[in-house]
Amino acid sequence: MSNEPITLAQALTTFDALWSPRVVTRVNDYDVRIAKVEGEHVWHVHDDTDEFFLVLSGELHIALREPDGERTVRLGQGAVFTVPRGTEHRPSSAAGASILMFEPTGTPSVGDRHDAIPAHVDATTGHLLGE
């Protein structure tokens, strides 16, 4: 981890991989991760933690399976949303987006329970920036 300021726009230029989050810093026991996304992720659940999303650019859709049915949350640039723990969800972006996520260190990007992982999705706990 760097002890120098990090410009998110610059950090996003250091990698091209989609659905492959980079850890830009840590706050206590939480990772601050950035990712480039396009297309669909996988339906997944984080059993023990919420998942925070901030859209840095583009538009992100998050499909949610809730007790009373399925719905989709649409997030534009600058919008934030927290998926509650235990909620099955699938992020997607038709035209591509850059996002920031905040979650406990070691949290798998495909959750604790998930559908089959497609080849374009990196099952990781986050790569250090520069990897």
Side-chain angles (χ1 to χ4, degrees):
M1 287 299 114
S2 173
N3 63 354
E4 296 296 324
I6 296 170
T7 303
L8 295 178
Q10 183 178 3
L12 284 161
T13 68
T14 66
F15 65 97
D16 292 319
L18 298 174
W19 301 110
S20 184
R22 300 303 194 263
V23 178
V24 293
T25 193
R26 289 201 170 101
V27 178
N28 298 315
D29 297 330
Y30 281 78
D31 287 345
V32 178
R33 302 175 184 178
I34 57 172
K36 294 178 180 180
V37 301
E38 188 172 351
E40 292 184 344
H41 198 269
V42 60
W43 280 102
H44 66 284
V45 177
H46 299 282
D47 291 324
D48 299 318
T49 186
D50 301 335
E51 187 171 15
F52 172 87
F53 293 89
L54 164 64
V55 177
L56 301 171
S57 67
E59 183 174 274
L60 182 71
H61 296 180
I62 303 175
L64 304 161
R65 290 182 177 154
E66 300 173 317
D68 54 344
E70 194 171 301
R71 71 181 174 115
T72 299
V73 176
R74 289 168 177 76
L75 305 171
Q77 182 174 340
V80 300
F81 184 75
T82 300
V83 176
R85 72 189 72 205
T87 302
E88 192 173 10
H89 60 287
R90 182 189 66 208
S92 65
S93 179
S98 296
I99 61 175
L100 180 142
M101 296 160 291
F102 190 73
E103 52 198 351
T105 298
T107 300
S109 61
V110 293
D112 303 310
R113 294 178 281 125
H114 51 75
D115 288 349
I117 301 169
H120 71 279
V121 172
D122 182 14
T124 180
T125 57
H127 302 283
L128 293 178
L129 193 60
E131 284 185 356

